[in-house]
Amino acid sequence: MGVVSPAQSVERAQTARKWGSSGLAYLTGLPGGPPDFSRANVLAHAERIAADAATLLTGRAGLLGLTPGGRISASGRTRLLAAADGWCAITLSRPDDVAAIPALLAADEVPEDPWPMLQRWAATRLVAAINERAEPLGLPAAALGEAAAVPPHIRRRGLRGSQRGPVGLLVADLSSMWAGPLCGRLLARAGATVVKVESPARPDGARSGNPAFFDWINSEKLSYCVDFDRDTNELRALLATADVVIDASPPTALARLGPDHIAPRPGRIWLRISGHGERSRRPVCGDDAAVAGGLVGTSTQGPVFCGDAIADPLAGLEASREVAESLRRGGGELIDVSMAAVAATYAALPTGPSVSVYPAAPPPAPPPTRPAAALGADNAAVRRLIAERRCFSC
């Protein structure tokens, strides 16, 4: 081990202090045990993208008053399970996930609390076999450290435009929940006009959750509600005039409205946020994506969850940076940001001591925001915007 200079000592102390005051140390560790400081460099790296990265990474936990769960995620929906040859994570966040448990376990009946049964089942199986069985059932699952730290996949898609910044951009945000919407929020904060696009049959699932969290992520966006099946021409018109499209759906989900089927526009950026890469259709949530990337804390009893679904906000931050860099290149690109690969990239950062002398406070709630627009509240304004941009380009 090399000699640490006084400047390096000061920098490490500042990094640990920020990790502790952010709430991330508090959220990482066993319940009732010491907070975990081993991943403090994650925040330091994220702050290179956004000065308020600490708030962006812990905002949901602060709003919901979440506490550390160790091998139970802060949200309570994902668990780390010991398998025969390692560790895996399984998420039960939707009714469909719970409904898939009998098929996963090949059991006729599953108790109301399926976790003890899942733990016993996982303990006798290889992590690869667990993933192989969970994927066709649409059940989010991941083996610890299975994902590689690879950069986003970028392909040319159309002509490049002029170099520009985010001010004045029209962004069509088709994503939901956290990672994609956070990217849209950051672009709106930087001066873009962001249109949150939802289907009346399937709006963003975050709308039915904590309203403060939904408002925090989406308050700066226009709300545009359109039927993806019946009103394809209307949706196509928006996508054709947009400068940036944020899409978190599998490639086949919007096959008729993907980048290959929209009228070309010089410089357009199509950003796709996936769980495990653009070729994968595996379902994913922020906590199991973090486990796939190996982004976990440490304890004397094995790995523990790091932060709150940390792959979600990290992917949103990285996606916003990719858009900014693409704009400087003139755009005309299709960019795939994998949540698991982002987690693996942050997991590869140097780790520090798990225990620190610095205090670890619970995550504070972010500053209040105005309410997000009601579903479809800005339909008329968005249609005018589309017409204006069409006329301008004529």
Side-chain angles (χ1 to χ4, degrees), residues 105-201:
L105 304 181
D108 294 329
E109 294 185 9
V110 175
E112 185 176 346
D113 179 6
W115 287 113
M117 194 171 182
L118 276 168
Q119 287 177 316
R120 292 191 296 271
W121 174 82
T124 63
R125 283 159 176 81
L126 303 178
V127 290
I130 293 172
N131 274 355
E132 184 178 353
R133 191 164 179 85
E135 183 175 354
L137 297 174
L139 190 63
L144 177 60
E146 67 171 90
V150 295
H153 188 198
I154 301 174
R155 300 198 305 273
R156 285 291 301 274
R157 184 69 66 178
L159 298 174
R160 292 203 185 278
S162 58
Q163 296 182 11
R164 60 183 301 187
V167 176
L169 292 179
L170 176 60
V171 179
D173 181 4
L174 281 72
S175 65
S176 60
M177 302 307 288
W178 196 350
L182 175 58
C183 177
R185 177 186 187 274
L186 294 173
L187 292 174
R189 188 169 74 176
T193 297
V194 181
V195 178
K196 183 170 182 60
V197 186
E198 298 171 86
S199 166

Side-chain angles (χ1 to χ4, degrees), residues 73 113 177 239 249 302 304 321 324 352 355:
S73 67
D113 179 6
M177 302 307 288
L239 301 182
S249 303
V304 293
R321 179 169 67 175
V355 179

Side-chain angles (χ1 to χ4, degrees), residues 71-73 75-83 87-93 97-98 100-101 104-105 114-115 117-123 125-127 129-131 133-135 138-144 282-285 287-289 291-292 305:
R71 287 195 290 276
I72 301 175
S73 67
S75 69
R77 297 171 180 173
T78 307
R79 299 203 182 189
L80 273 162
L81 305 176
W87 292 87
C88 68
I90 294 179
T91 298
L92 303 180
S93 62
D97 297 333
V98 177
I101 295 301
L104 179 73
L105 304 181
W115 287 113
M117 194 171 182
L118 276 168
Q119 287 177 316
R120 292 191 296 271
W121 174 82
R125 283 159 176 81
L126 303 178
V127 290
I130 293 172
N131 274 355
R133 191 164 179 85
E135 183 175 354
L139 190 63
L144 177 60
R282 288 171 61 183
V284 71
C285 292
D287 282 305
D288 55 78
V291 170
F305 284 104

Side-chain angles (χ1 to χ4, degrees), residues 47-62:
E47 285 180 329
R48 299 175 185 177
I49 304 175
D52 62 341
T55 299
L56 300 176
L57 296 180
T58 64
R60 186 178 78 161

